[in-house]
Amino acid sequence: MEACVTMSFKQPPVIPSLPRQFHGKWNKKSYHVLRELGRGANGAVYLATQGGVKRAVKVGGESIDILMEVNVLKSVQQGRDSQVGPLLCDVDDLMIDGKPCAFYAMEYLEGEQLDRYIRQSGTEWVAVMMVQLLARLDVLHKHGWVFGDLKPENVIVTRADKQVRLIDFGGVTKLGNAVRQFTEEYDRAYWHAGDRRAEVSYDLFSAAVMMVRLFVDRQTWTSSLGEPRQTVWLCDIIRNSDGLYPYRVPLLKAFHGKYASAGEMRADMLAILRELTVAAPRQQKQARKRTSGAGGMGISGLFVASLLLLAGTLYYAWFM
Amino acid sequence: MKEATLRQILVVTDGCSNSGMSPVAAAALAREQGITVNVIGVIEKSELGEKGETEIREIAEAGGGLCDIVYPQQLAQTVQMLTRKAMTRTIHQVVHKELKEILGDSGIAELEPQKRVQVAGMVDELGEKSSLNVVMLVDTSGSMKPKLSAVQQAIHDFSISLHSRSGRSRMAVCSFPGKQKYLDVRIPWTEQVEQAHHITGDLAMSGITPTGPAIVEAIALFDHGKLPQSLSERYAGTESDDHEDGSLRDHVF
């Protein structure tokens, strides 16, 4: 019996390491392990080849956790064209030290983690990626699932066609249940903006926080994470960021759970993105001026006005 | 199965017990009565030492639960994660046992993966729908003082997680050592902790850490009635259990 599955401090979690070569007990497919790709809360993902094709293989300390993920992945597979996450290729057992251990193999998505991609390619990609991400979420939600643990680390931008895909389905939860797994920085409850019930608005909240996160560097982000955390603090960042400011309305609406679907938020973002692209040259100049001087005051005032408007119609908790 | 109630004790501590019966025996006693014991070690740097680490692991093992050792800032998330995983495990064990009766000795392992995926989905759903009762048992001996604000936050946070479940959830919070008894009930059974309670006020700061006796007293908080005579004689030592049960009930209800 592995009683201490999550000894995370002194001892690494008891995630079995894969032998360099193995084959499944039931389906008899054989895998060559190339390297470890990463570790999540439930297990480790390895890059392997099977029949000459690259696959991502996940194993975990407890088979049941792995099988639960498969259960979710399978039900999302129905929309094959939707490209929410990786395709599921194989579910099987392998023997490690004489004990059966469940694993699954999925399509290997070659690409970059979203935050790394933005760092390399620039913040003008953020809104484009957000629009794509919201489309993926919309599909997931329509299948009755909430992603739960939404964060840049769980979003991949494929190298070939720059498509956003979700990875790590450990947090995916049936609508209405309690979110299975989350990360504090993107968790609605941690920001005192609601509970952890799996709702469309839970994912949209995380998405909005993620967008803000992608615009600031790591240091600003971590150094400013004071207690207690409140969305007002995120609004300060939005107000002071040229890149985020145009998106203030959809972001605020997401913070306050005002969207009924990811599609709605996507449409709002897309409209702003289009407008910005058309008006790009002139707007940028204005944005520069805004940070200081009278122009800044004017637009800050506008911002405050939009806040008040929202506060009035939306939520009681604004000044909390 | 649908009406299942899961019972857990979650011990939050930062060191070794040094008073009363062995906490490992106490955890075994809890498990005997259908209560899972999980343990989280909260440490500032690496003050826990091998002995404390071993004890934490042994308590969880004997109590059929899980353990983790974390920094104070990780506490809130760890509480939620550990509780959920322990629940899944308990339900999985029950399902496993049932399937064993149908399928023979090897039980679920003999099922093909696709079928087991369905079982996993069912376990997940049962976990969400079942009732859950958790007693959080917080070590408030002197060395815990700097970590108590993190504990307080974790308590509040945990109550949000519980509240988000579909199944009925209750939690109670106790601190040990207590003033007169081995533990004090800080927050009696409740469905939602409205705000971070101040458990830091008037704490019995002392050098003793009676983890074992505190676990035994926490068992009494579950509406099980008294300990079976034979077990109470074997484990409870000189203390009279009737007396303990009585006064705890007064605290709670």
Side-chain angles (χ1 to χ4, degrees):
Chain A
M1 283 227 113
E2 330 90 308
C4 278
V5 244
T6 52
M7 292 289 288
S8 65
F9 179 62
K10 290 252 174 75
Q11 284 155 310
V14 191
I15 294 169
S17 31
L18 282 181
R20 280 180 57 194
Q21 200 172 345
F22 67 91
H23 65 269
K25 181 181 156 190
W26 302 83
N27 302 332
K28 310 283 183 220
K29 289 185 181 166
S30 61
Y31 293 85
H32 285 265
V33 178
L34 302 175
R35 65 186 163 94
E36 187 180 309
L37 289 170
R39 276 168 188 256
N42 293 336
V45 181
Y46 293 85
L47 177 61
T49 58
Q50 187 264 311
V53 185
K54 279 183 183 171
R55 297 278 184 242
V57 174
K58 185 159 185 180
V59 282
E62 298 235 2
S63 293
I64 185 88
D65 291 326
I66 292 297
L67 294 174
M68 280 182 185
E69 280 185 38
V70 175
N71 183 44
V72 175
L73 261 175
K74 272 180 74 179
S75 72
V76 185
Q77 301 290 305
Q78 289 142 10
R80 206 206 162 295
D81 51 323
S82 62
Q83 304 203 321
V84 178
L87 283 173
L88 183 66
C89 306
D90 189 16
V91 190
D92 211 329
D93 294 319
L94 78 152
M95 302 301 277
I96 297 180
D97 302 329
K99 280 195 298 182
C101 177
F103 74 90
Y104 65 91
M106 55 198 153
E107 170 192 15
Y108 172 58
L109 298 173
E110 207 155 9
E112 206 67 75
Q113 218 170 270
L114 182 57
D115 50 339
R116 275 191 223 137
Y117 183 82
I118 298 297
R119 255 196 317 259
Q120 287 162 12
S121 316
T123 46
E124 74 258 31
W125 279 89
V126 175
V128 181
M129 292 303 163
M130 285 296 292
V131 168
Q132 272 196 41
L133 177 69
L134 288 166
R136 307 285 181 267
L137 288 176
D138 204 36
V139 174
L140 195 63
H141 295 161
K142 292 212 162 99
H143 278 90
W145 300 95
V146 164
F147 190 73
D149 198 6
L150 192 60
K151 55 180 173 182
E153 293 86 338
N154 285 345
V155 180
I156 242 175
V157 183
T158 57
R159 186 161 301 147
D161 53 0
K162 309 286 173 260
Q163 291 291 300
V164 159
R165 304 280 283 270
L166 292 162
I167 53 167
D168 193 346
F169 278 56
V172 178
T173 311
K174 204 170 270 180
L175 270 167
N177 286 2
V179 171
R180 296 163 51 79
Q181 189 178 301
F182 58 89
T183 302
E184 286 179 350
E185 282 171 48
Y186 307 97
D187 166 43
R188 178 169 78 176
Y190 207 73
W191 285 99
H192 304 277
D195 60 15
R196 297 204 174 98
R197 204 151 300 172
E199 298 165 335
V200 167
S201 54
Y202 185 91
D203 272 350
L204 299 185
F205 181 92
S206 304
V209 178
M210 197 169 92
M211 182 167 183
V212 175
R213 168 69 186 89
L214 290 171
F215 265 98
V216 297
D217 56 276
R218 186 186 295 273
Q219 216 161 12
T220 325
W221 182 253
T222 45
S223 67
S224 326
L225 287 178
E227 301 292 338
R229 275 192 204 174
Q230 253 140 31
T231 45
V232 183
W233 178 80
L234 294 171
C235 294
D236 280 343
I237 296 187
I238 297 169
R239 188 165 40 227
N240 293 317
S241 159
D242 292 349
L244 285 168
Y245 188 76
Y247 297 96
R248 64 198 175 282
V249 175
L251 288 173
L252 282 175
K253 279 173 84 174
F255 289 155
H256 290 103
K258 286 297 137 188
Y259 283 115
S261 74
E264 252 178 59
M265 182 170 169
R266 181 176 180 274
D268 280 3
M269 301 266 308
L270 198 56
I272 296 165
L273 184 59
R274 278 214 193 97
E275 205 166 302
L276 284 179
T277 331
V278 173
R282 227 183 48 221
Q283 284 240 330
Q284 262 176 9
K285 256 185 199 162
Q286 273 187 357
R288 290 273 140 67
K289 266 190 231 156
R290 176 162 55 77
T291 34
S292 60
M297 296 277 284
I299 294 181
S300 293
L302 249 171
F303 183 82
V304 170
S306 73
L307 279 191
L308 288 175
L309 208 74
L310 266 170
T313 46
L314 303 185
Y315 227 68
Y316 65 96
W318 185 252
F319 291 101
M320 261 170 64
Chain B
M1 279 291 307
K2 279 206 172 105
E3 299 296 315
T5 296
L6 300 175
R7 300 180 180 88
Q8 295 185 356
I9 292 174
L10 175 66
V11 181
V12 180
T13 183
D14 71 342
C16 285
S17 66
N18 56 15
S19 165
M21 74 181 286
S22 150
V24 182
L29 174 64
R31 187 188 193 174
E32 204 60 40
Q33 297 170 77
I35 301 165
T36 306
V37 183
N38 298 313
V39 192
I40 300 179
V42 206
I43 51 166
E44 211 71 83
K45 283 183 204 90
S46 52
E47 76 222 41
L48 191 60
E50 211 171 302
K51 195 165 157 252
E53 219 177 276
T54 309
E55 187 181 279
I56 283 172
R57 199 170 328 126
E58 284 178 356
I59 298 173
E61 244 165 81
L66 302 169
C67 62
D68 204 353
I69 297 169
V70 298
Y71 294 117
Q73 16 343 336
Q74 300 167 285
L75 185 62
Q77 202 168 0
T78 309
V79 169
Q80 183 266 357
M81 200 70 178
L82 216 63
T83 305
R84 198 184 65 74
K85 287 206 166 181
M87 275 175 59
T88 305
R89 232 168 88 130
T90 308
I91 292 172
H92 187 213
Q93 279 161 0
V94 175
V95 170
H96 187 82
K97 217 174 124 194
E98 301 266 318
L99 283 176
K100 233 177 171 170
E101 275 168 24
I102 305 169
L103 302 168
D105 261 353
S106 39
I108 192 170
E110 274 311 297
L111 284 178
E112 59 165 304
Q114 300 295 350
K115 290 261 161 57
R116 274 187 299 152
V117 169
Q118 288 180 326
V119 173
M122 186 183 82
V123 168
D124 200 12
E125 205 51 31
L126 282 172
E128 174 74 19
K129 299 280 187 301
S130 58
S131 305
L132 174 64
N133 291 341
V134 186
V135 171
M136 247 175 117
L137 201 51
V138 183
D139 175 355
T140 52
S141 57
S143 57
M144 277 293 287
K145 200 176 178 183
K147 298 153 202 156
L148 284 180
S149 72
V151 173
Q152 244 164 250
Q153 211 181 323
I155 290 170
H156 178 56
D157 192 84
F158 188 43
S159 103
I160 296 174
S161 281
L162 290 184
H163 201 66
S164 306
R165 296 180 68 241
S166 319
R168 184 163 179 260
S169 316
R170 290 195 306 165
M171 69 186 283
V173 180
C174 306
S175 61
F176 70 99
K179 283 220 178 82
Q180 263 93 49
K181 317 290 311 171
Y182 286 120
L183 59 74
D184 285 338
V185 176
R186 294 288 168 159
I187 305 170
W189 287 117
T190 175
E191 304 221 334
Q192 195 176 17
V193 179
E194 284 302 341
Q195 49 175 311
H197 276 245
H198 291 278
I199 58 163
T200 33
D202 55 80
L203 283 177
M205 290 291 183
S206 69
I208 66 156
T209 311
T211 316
I215 291 176
V216 173
E217 285 192 14
I219 294 172
L221 289 181
F222 293 91
D223 33 39
H224 265 172
K226 290 188 291 185
L227 304 180
Q229 189 72 43
S230 61
L231 288 174
S232 75
E233 273 167 14
R234 196 183 330 159
Y235 289 100
T238 51
E239 290 287 331
S240 144
D241 260 308
D242 280 348
H243 173 67
E244 276 179 24
D245 275 14
S247 62
L248 277 170
R249 291 265 149 72
D250 289 344
H251 269 290
V252 181
F253 299 110

